[in-house]
Structure formats: structure tokens, C-alpha cells
């Protein structure tokens, strides 16, 4: 498997050693001034070491913006990109910069944001000097300018394509061309034109309402994008040019997904124009500009695998240049099939390469690959919350220069008690380091709580986390003992013990009398419930349990003490939950504290206005959270380290569990 995926590809002047592409993702790894620092360099170099042929740096701004993205607007920034290019070339990887300009007046928004910053600084100085009146004045000024900046930004994201003057468009086009020229000086191999954002808005029939030469027909709406391509080719003739072509797809319910970009028929016609304009490769991608990143980077269970592939296939059939496809291509097998079928020439593995940067070298060696869950927890959520991205399953993301699996100085016999995700990751890392590992698991299968997490609607893909360990453990020096709880005497035969004892559903902290109460864990394990179900606790587990019960046909009520449910859920998943709750009529009570439960009646009060609330239910589901399991260490004389759920006062999510196991095993 992987024969076609490892074949070389020619894209203009650029030779790619295989068909694996890291598409543009906003990482947050850049320095505050947008330059490529050690963290960025380490991340991209790690991808190159893993065999990725084509690496695209996302959202490189050709002007100084307030956005936390890479920037190349000044010659002083060239050396940092030169260093990156040299590092990737050392591994025979090719580097592209995705040049983008936001769909708003960057200098105008920037002046407001800088003005707000200056006012905040003046306010701080006034406060330090004891001038309360000036402090209030400057604080109000800062708040007003910040509010004005975001109002201008939001308005222009919808209207800039229509209202931008031809002079503004000319200046932007020139800034993009100058950025491309700097990229050429830096030794970069290609420019990816960001067909979303401003260019996608200009092309869009929905967003572009101009009446001049840039509006109306497809030819007019596409004119500016083609002018940008021509300017790039003139400014940087030695570079290959790839175009990210945003396509407005159609959801299963018939609604449109995306606003900027083009509907499929126009996208095919535009692709032909791009080929004629000298573009060397096209990336067929989902159109953005929707306000929800879940539309472009959808979470598990939302859309079919490879959902943009039909559009990519049509474009491939219409042009003679290579076409790349992106969007939920999870596995090597899926990518290989796409290439075998001639549906695309290049496979973009975005989130997948966060999960496992070694897809190429492992494919060549026939080794097991860790596959992305499409959970969006560590990657997309981070982008939206201005944090650096990482994968919940990969403890090395963003720290590649300092964190790696180190060979053991002294080989040890290591016992791991518990085969949940923390225990499994610890076993993998310890064995990779050269230790002799034995895993004890009291149940008849590995994976722990992942099996429960996979039960609610749209969540089955999370089982890939367990499948990976089922595949890789037999290839390592690991003995797995299922249905076994080790004694202190057994554990004392080892040099070190890692305890991954997990957690359990916590007890209800309120009086309960003569009522049918079950735990969320029991429900997700298959305990039969019918009628009206009241779920106590609107955290992630409670919300998913409520969604599961509603899908089973139960009338469902969810009760949460905070002011909203699923506070820690991904912003790309929440719209799906909300839609599902509306569909099934799930009743929500937030700001609600349960006082007691008697005769299947929940007596509660609203914490805001202190009104009494009475809720009748056939089944009451305790989803208030989990509590770590205690592990009896009496009689154990060798060093013990706790990992995963049982390692702290708070239980661990999947990311924390993986990192806990990884670091503990790496420290042995």
C-alpha cells in the first residue's frame, strides 16, 4: 500500500518527491511579529524529516496585520524564511508560502487597533500617576476604538469586495507581488495563492456586488484573481504557482456550505482560466467565509470522508495541470485509492500530519500510522482561540525541538497498570525507548473510556485512537495481560510502575430517595432506559449522553449549574449539538442547582432568580463528572508514577492523558 502516494509529481518547475502535501494551516507557532522562529522552524522541519514532499505555510501576510499569522512584508524578514527553506530542502521537501490578504482594509483596522493600544498604555500611565480622570478617559477611548475596529472588520468581511476602490485593490495586488518577490529571494519553491478571503470574496456571486470591471459575470469576478496571479508570476518568475480554489459545496440538506469562492460549475470554468494564466497546480478546497471553521475543517461525523473530492475530480478532468485534494482524507489507503482512480494528483493531509508527521516514511516502511480523529479539539479550537495548534494524540506538536522519544540509558522492566489511553501511550513510548514493558488491564480489552466516548452520535471515529494501539503494540516489546489485576508482589518484580487506574462516575452530592438513578457511564455502556430522562450535568459527558438518549427516542432534559452547557466543547461541534437538540426537542435548564431527588422528582432552584424548579423523570442520569480511581500501593517497593485520570485532583481529557503517559514514560 502507498505505491502511488510515494510517486514523484511535477508541478511547473517544481519536482515533488511524493504526493503527500501539508496544506496551509494556521499554527500560531510564529513569533509575535510574524517571523519564523524556533518553534515554527522545528515544526515544519519535523514534517520534512517525516517525508512530506510539499509543505505550505498558511496565511502569510504581505502587509503588517494585527492577525497572529506569518508575515513577509519587509526585506528584513527574508533571512528567517531563507533559513526555513534551507532546512526543508535538506530533507528534499519543497516549501510554498500561501500569500493572503484579509477581506478588509488592513491599514484602517490596524490604525484603530494601534490607537486602542496607545490609549490603553496612556491609561496605565495615568493610573500609575494617580490621575483617575485621565485613566477613565483613556480607558473609554481604548474601548471605543477596539469596538470600532471590530465593527469595521466584521462589516468589511461582508462588503469589502464590493466597496474596495480600484486603487485599494491595486495596492493590495502590488503588496502580494512584492511578497512573492521576497519569497523568491528567500529560496522558497512556490507561491500558493489564497483563493479564499479577499480573492474568494471578489470571485463570489454572493459577496461581490460590484458594477465595474470586477463585478457581474464570472469573467469579471475572476478578473482580480487572475491579475494577482499575473503579478506574482511577473515578480517571482522562478517560482511555481499553486492556486487554492475555494468551492461552495452543497450540504446533505441542500443548503450551501460557504459564501466566498465559487459554486462547482463556475469553479470548473475558473480552473480552466487559471491553467491558461499559467498556474502550475490547483488545490480544490472547501470555500470559507462562513463564520464557522467547522465548515472548512469539519469535525468527526459531520460530513462524509473526502467530501470535497467530487469537485476535485471534476476540476482534474477539466485541466491538464496537477490537482490536489484536501478534506477528511484520513488514511493512506484513502489517499492511495484517490490517486489510483485518477481523481486527484496530490493528497493534502492536514490534521493527519499533526497526528503523525511520519506518514510518508512509515508508508514506505510499511509501519503503523497514527490516524487523526477529526475531533478538532487541539487544532481548530486552538486556531479559533489564538493558541498554537496541536493534536490531542501527539505530545510533541509545537515542541519538536525539545520533546522527542529518547533512547533509554538503562533498559528497565516497566509495569503499567491500566490500558486506557494514558497507559497505552506510556507503553508505546517506554517500548520505543527500549524498555521491556508489561501492561496489566483488568477488563477484557484495551482502550478504557474511549469505548464510552465513541457511543454518542457522530463520535465513533474516536475509536481510531484505540485501533492504533491495537496495531502497534504487537510490533513492540510489550506483553499485554488482559483480565488481570497485578498484586504488589508481581509489581515488585519490575524496576518501575506506571499506574493508569482511570476514573469512575462520581456520586451524586445531593440527597436521593426512592428514585431511578443511573450513571452516564452505565447509559453509554448500554443500560436500557426509556421515557423521560433527566441528565444531571451539562458538561461534555452530560451533553453527549443527552444527545445519545434523545437519539434513542427518549424525551430528554439536561440540567446544568453553569450558564451554558458543554462549556469545553469544540466551537465546530457545538452547532451540530445545538441543531440535534432542536431536532429532538431536548429541554435545557442552565443556572440550575439540584437540591434533592425524591420519588423520581428533581427539586432544584434557578441560581439567578432563586425560583423553584420541579422536574419529573422516569430515569435520572448522573453525569456530574468523574473521580479518579484509587490504587492500592501498599506493599509496592519500586518507584510508582501516576498517569492519566488518576494522576491529579482533576481527571484528564484525552490530550492530557496522552501527554501524561508520554512524558512519564520518557522520564523513566
Amino acid at each position: 500500500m502507498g505505491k502511488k502516494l510515494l510517486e514523484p509529481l511535477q508541478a511547473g518547475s517544481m519536482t515533488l518527491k511524493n504526493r503527500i502535501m501539508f496544506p496551509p494551516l494556521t499554527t500560531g507557532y510564529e513569533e509575535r511579529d510574524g517571523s519564523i522562529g524556533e518553534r515554527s522552524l522545528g515544526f515544519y522541519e519535523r514534517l520534512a524529516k517525516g517525508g512530506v514532499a510539499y509543505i505550505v505555510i498558511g496565511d502569510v501576510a504581505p502587509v503588517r496585520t494585527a492577525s497572529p499569522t506569518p508575515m513577509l512584508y519587509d526585506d528584513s524578514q527574508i533571512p528567517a524564511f531563507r533559513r526555513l527553506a534551507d532546512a526543508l530542502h535538506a530533507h528534499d521537501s519543497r516549501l510554498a508560502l500561501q500569500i493572503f490578504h484579509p477581506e478588509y482594509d488592513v491599514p484602517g483596522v490596524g490604525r484603530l487597533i494601534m490607537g486602542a493600544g496607545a490609549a490603553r498604555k496612556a491609561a496605565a500611565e495615568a493610573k500609575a500617576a494617580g490621575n483617575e480622570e485621565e485613566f477613565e478617559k483613556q480607558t473609554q477611548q481604548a474601548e471605543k476604538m477596539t469596538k470600532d475596529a471590530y465593527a469595521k472588520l466584521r462589516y468589511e468581511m461582508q462588503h469589502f469586495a464590493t466597496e474596495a476602490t480600484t486603487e485599494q485593490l491595486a495596492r493590495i495586488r502590488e503588496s502580494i507581488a512584492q511578497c512573492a518577490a521576497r519569497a523568491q529571494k528567500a529560496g522558497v519553491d512556490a507561491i500558493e495563492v489564497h483563493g479564499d478571503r479577499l480573492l474568494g470574496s471578489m470571485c463570489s456571486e454572493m459577496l461581490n456586488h460590484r458594477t465595474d470591471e470586477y463585478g457581474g459575470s464570472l469573467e469579471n469576478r475572476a478578473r482580480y484573481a487572475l491579475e494577482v496571479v499575473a503579478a506574482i508570476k511577473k515578480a517571482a518568475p522562478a517560482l511555481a504557482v499553486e492556486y487554492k480554489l475555494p468551492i461552495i459545496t452543497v450540504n446533505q440538506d441542500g443548503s450551501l456550505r460557504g459564501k466566498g469562492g465559487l459554486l462547482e460549475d463556475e469553479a470548473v470554468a475558473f480552473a480552466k482560466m487559471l491553467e491558461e494564466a499559467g498556474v502550475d497546480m490547483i488545490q480544490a478546497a472547501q470555500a470559507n467565509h462562513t463564520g464557522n471553521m467547522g465548515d472548512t475543517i469539519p469535525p468527526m461525523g459531520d460530513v462524509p470522508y473526502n467530501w470535497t473530492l467530487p469537485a476535485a475530480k471534476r476540476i482534474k478532468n477539466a485541466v491538464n495541470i496537477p490537482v490536489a485534494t484536501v478534506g477528511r482524507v484520513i488514511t493512506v489507503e484513502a489517499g492511495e485509492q484517490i490517486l489510483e482512480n485518477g481523481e486527484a494528483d496530490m493528497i493534502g493531509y492536514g490534521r493527519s500530519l499533526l497526528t503523525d508527521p511520519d506518514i510518508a516514511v512509515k508508508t514506505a516502511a510499511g509501519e503503523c500510522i497514527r490516524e487523526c480523529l477529526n475531533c478538532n479539539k487541539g487544532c481548530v479550537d486552538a486556531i479559533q482561540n489564538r493558541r498554537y495548534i496541536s493534536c490531542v494524540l501527539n505530545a510533541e506538536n509545537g515542541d519538536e525541538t525539545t520533546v522527542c522519544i529518547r533512547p533509554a540509558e538503562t533498559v528497565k522492566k516497566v509495569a503499567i497498570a491500566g490500558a486506557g489511553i494514558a497507559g497505552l501511550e506510556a507503553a508505546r513510548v517506554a517500548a520505543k525507548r527500549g524498555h521491556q514493558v508489561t501492561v496489566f488491564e483488568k477488563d477484557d480489552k484495551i482502550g478504557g473510556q474511549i469505548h464510552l466516548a465513541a457511543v454518542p452520535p457522530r463520535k465513533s471515529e474516536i475509536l481510531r485512537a484505540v485501533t492504533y494501539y491495537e496495531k502497534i503494540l504487537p510490533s513492540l516489546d510489550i506483553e499485554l495481560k488482559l483480565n488481570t489485576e497485578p498484586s504488589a508482589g508481581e509489581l515488585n518484580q519490575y524496576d518501575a510502575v506506571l499506574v493508569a487506574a482511570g476514573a469512575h462516575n462520581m456520586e451524586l452530592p445531593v440527597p436521593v430517595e426512592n428514585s431511578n438513578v443511573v450513571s452516564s457511564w452505565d447509559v453509554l455502556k448500554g443500560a436500557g432506559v426509556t421515557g423521560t430522562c433527566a441528565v444531571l450535568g451539562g458538561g461534555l459527558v452530560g451533553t453527549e449522553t443527552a444527545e445519545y438518549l434523545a437519539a434513542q427516542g427518549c424525551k430528554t432534559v439536561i440540567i446544568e449549574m453553569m450558564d451554558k452547557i458543554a462549556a469545553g466543547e469544540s466551537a465546530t461541534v457545538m452547532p451540530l449539538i445545538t441543531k440535534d437538540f432542536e431536532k429532538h426537542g431536548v429541554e435545557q435548564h442552565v443556572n440550575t442547582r439540584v437540591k434533592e431527588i425524591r420519588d423520581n422528582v428533581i427539586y432544584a432552584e434557578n441560581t439567578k432568580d432563586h425560583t423553584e424548579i420541579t422536574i419529573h423523570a422516569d430515569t435520572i442520569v448522573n453525569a456530574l463528572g468523574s473521580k479518579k480511581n484509587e490504587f492500592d500501593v501498599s506493599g509496592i517497593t519500586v518507584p510508582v508514577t501516576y498517569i492519566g485520570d488518576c494522576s491529579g485532583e482533576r481527571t484528564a481529557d484525552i490530550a492530557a492523558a496522552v501527554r501524561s503517559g508520554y512524558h512519564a514514560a520518557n522520564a523513566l
Side-chain angles (χ1 to χ4, degrees):
M1 183 56 68
K3 182 181 178 183
K4 291 287 289 185
L5 203 60
L6 299 178
E7 288 181 358
L9 178 68
Q10 194 71 27
S13 59
M14 181 173 59
T15 302
L16 303 171
K17 64 180 178 181
N18 60 46
R19 309 297 180 98
I20 296 173
M21 167 188 186
F22 181 73
L25 274 177
T26 302
T27 66
Y29 294 152
E30 298 77 30
E31 304 304 302
R32 290 182 67 86
D33 63 356
S35 61
I36 300 295
E38 292 303 314
R39 173 165 270 167
S40 286
L41 184 67
F43 173 75
Y44 292 116
E45 188 173 18
R46 179 67 183 83
L47 291 174
K49 289 177 180 177
V52 180
Y54 185 51
I55 297 172
V56 185
I57 312 301
D59 288 351
V60 179
V63 291
R64 187 173 184 177
T65 78
S67 301
T69 67
M71 299 181 203
L72 184 52
Y73 60 84
D74 189 85
D75 286 358
S76 65
Q77 297 165 312
I78 291 174
F81 283 93
R82 162 66 71 178
R83 187 177 173 217
L84 175 61
D86 290 347
L88 301 195
H89 292 160
H91 301 283
D92 198 20
S93 292
R94 298 291 165 256
L95 170 64
L97 304 188
Q98 182 199 53
I99 303 181
F100 94 113
H101 191 287
E103 60 279 56
Y104 53 83
D105 171 20
V106 170
V109 171
R111 281 191 294 272
L112 288 169
I113 291 175
M114 289 178 68
R120 275 191 291 272
K121 183 179 179 183
E125 291 172 351
K127 187 170 186 178
N131 189 339
E132 199 64 33
E133 183 179 343
E134 183 65 14
F135 168 72
E136 289 293 338
K137 176 185 171 184
Q138 293 294 339
T139 298
Q140 289 174 13
Q141 177 74 357
E143 290 174 354
K144 181 181 183 303
M145 295 185 83
T146 300
K147 186 176 179 181
D148 289 347
Y150 283 100
K152 178 178 171 66
L153 185 151
R154 283 190 292 268
Y155 175 83
E156 291 186 354
M157 285 179 73
Q158 299 295 327
H159 302 286
F160 190 68
T162 298
E163 298 178 2
T165 65
T166 54
E167 290 78 16
Q168 280 179 303
L169 293 175
R171 284 196 297 271
I172 292 169
R173 184 175 61 237
E174 180 58 23
S175 72
I176 292 172
Q178 290 175 2
C179 184
R182 292 186 189 99
Q184 182 169 289
K185 289 178 183 176
V188 169
D189 302 287
I191 296 296
E192 179 181 282
V193 182
H194 198 329
D196 259 323
R197 308 302 293 267
L198 174 59
L199 270 62
S201 299
M202 291 293 289
C203 288
S204 170
E205 200 169 21
M206 286 179 251
L207 296 173
N208 181 348
H209 304 295
R210 302 177 73 98
T211 56
D212 61 3
E213 70 269 29
Y214 293 121
S217 66
L218 172 61
E219 287 72 21
N220 281 357
R221 284 181 279 117
R223 187 184 306 277
Y224 185 66
L226 294 173
E227 288 177 356
V228 167
V229 169
I232 289 171
K233 290 181 69 66
K234 182 178 179 181
L239 302 190
V241 177
E242 177 212 340
Y243 195 99
K244 180 187 177 185
L245 176 51
I247 299 156
I248 299 169
T249 57
V250 181
N251 292 318
Q252 290 174 318
D253 64 3
S255 61
L256 296 180
R257 195 180 190 96
K259 295 176 185 174
L262 300 161
L263 290 165
E264 197 171 298
D265 288 346
E266 285 195 335
V268 173
F270 182 45
K272 295 177 183 177
M273 297 181 198
L274 291 172
E275 182 178 24
E276 290 173 8
V279 165
D280 299 301
M281 182 161 68
I282 291 172
Q283 178 194 151
Q286 167 64 46
N288 203 329
H289 216 299
T290 64
N292 174 27
M293 284 193 69
D295 281 347
T296 47
I297 313 179
M300 64 172 77
D302 181 26
V303 296
Y305 293 123
N306 320 344
W307 94 100
T308 62
L309 186 60
K313 183 179 179 181
R314 283 192 63 190
I315 290 170
K316 164 116 176 102
N317 290 337
V319 299
N320 296 304
I321 55 177
V323 174
T325 185
V326 296
R328 276 175 58 77
V329 185
I330 305 295
T331 66
V332 165
E333 290 79 9
E336 185 72 14
Q337 193 64 58
I338 289 167
L339 297 174
E340 287 283 355
N341 294 344
E343 296 167 316
D345 304 285
M346 193 90 191
I347 308 297
Y349 288 105
R351 289 172 288 181
S352 292
L353 282 164
L354 285 178
T355 308
D356 194 332
D358 293 321
I359 289 176
V361 295
K362 287 181 178 178
T363 297
E367 294 180 13
C368 178
I369 294 167
R370 182 165 50 196
E371 293 171 354
C372 170
L373 309 181
N374 281 182
C375 67
N376 283 3
K377 296 284 190 186
C379 51
V380 179
D381 281 6
I383 295 170
Q384 296 197 136
N385 294 319
R386 298 289 191 257
R387 302 191 311 269
Y388 73 78
I389 62 172
S390 63
C391 174
V392 297
L393 298 179
N394 187 348
E396 298 172 5
N397 288 148
D399 296 311
E400 285 81 2
T401 58
T402 57
V403 176
C404 62
I405 297 175
R406 304 183 312 276
E409 294 179 6
T410 303
V411 174
K412 297 179 180 179
K413 291 179 62 181
V414 179
I416 298 174
I421 287 298
L424 293 170
E425 178 66 355
R428 179 187 77 90
V429 174
K432 284 274 190 183
R433 295 189 63 208
H435 295 304
Q436 298 170 13
V437 181
T438 302
V439 179
F440 297 90
E441 171 53 50
K442 65 180 180 180
D443 289 335
D444 60 0
K445 61 185 176 184
I446 66 172
Q449 294 177 48
I450 294 296
H451 295 286
L452 300 182
V455 172
R458 304 180 311 278
K459 294 295 296 296
S460 62
E461 293 182 48
I462 201 171
L463 286 174
R464 283 198 289 271
V466 180
T467 303
Y468 167 66
Y469 292 108
E470 289 174 342
K471 291 178 180 177
I472 198 169
L473 293 191
S475 68
L476 301 172
D477 186 12
I478 295 171
E479 182 181 8
L480 177 61
K481 294 187 175 183
L482 298 175
N483 302 303
T484 304
E485 292 190 66
S487 66
E490 285 178 284
L491 294 178
N492 286 335
Q493 303 303 308
Y494 294 85
D495 301 306
V497 175
L498 301 183
V499 175
H504 60 275
N505 203 97
M506 66 187 296
E507 300 298 318
L508 284 177
V510 299
V512 178
E513 182 182 327
N514 192 34
S515 297
N516 180 27
V517 178
V518 298
S519 75
S520 58
W521 292 35
D522 288 336
V523 169
L524 296 175
K525 285 177 182 176
V529 294
T530 56
T532 299
C533 296
V535 178
L536 307 186
L540 298 185
V541 173
T543 301
E544 290 178 351
T545 303
E547 203 178 355
Y548 167 75
L549 289 168
Q552 301 301 306
C554 298
K555 176 174 170 44
T556 306
V557 180
I558 188 167
I559 302 166
E560 169 57 38
M561 197 166 171
M562 305 298 285
D563 60 1
K564 65 177 180 178
I565 65 166
E569 185 56 274
S570 169
T572 60
V573 175
M574 273 311 298
L576 306 179
I577 293 174
T578 300
K579 185 177 179 180
D580 205 24
F581 276 10
E582 289 172 353
K583 174 185 174 183
H584 291 103
V586 174
E587 190 179 315
Q588 296 181 45
H589 294 272
V590 295
N591 298 311
T592 301
R593 182 175 68 87
V594 175
K595 296 193 294 185
E596 66 172 320
I597 303 168
R598 190 171 65 252
D599 299 323
N600 273 13
V601 178
I602 299 164
Y603 296 93
E605 72 168 347
N606 184 291
T607 57
K608 294 290 187 183
D609 59 20
H610 302 291
T611 55
E612 298 293 322
I613 301 169
T614 303
I615 300 169
H616 298 256
D618 299 299
T619 303
I620 296 156
V621 180
N622 172 13
L624 291 181
S626 56
K627 189 175 182 180
K628 68 179 181 181
N629 289 330
E630 298 296 334
F631 187 82
D632 185 4
V633 295
S634 58
I636 299 177
T637 57
V638 296
V640 173
T641 303
Y642 294 93
I643 58 176
D645 278 332
C646 68
S647 62
E649 289 306 310
R650 297 183 63 181
T651 52
D653 59 17
I654 188 169
V658 165
R659 282 150 181 77
S660 173
Y662 179 103
H663 292 301
N666 219 13
L668 287 170

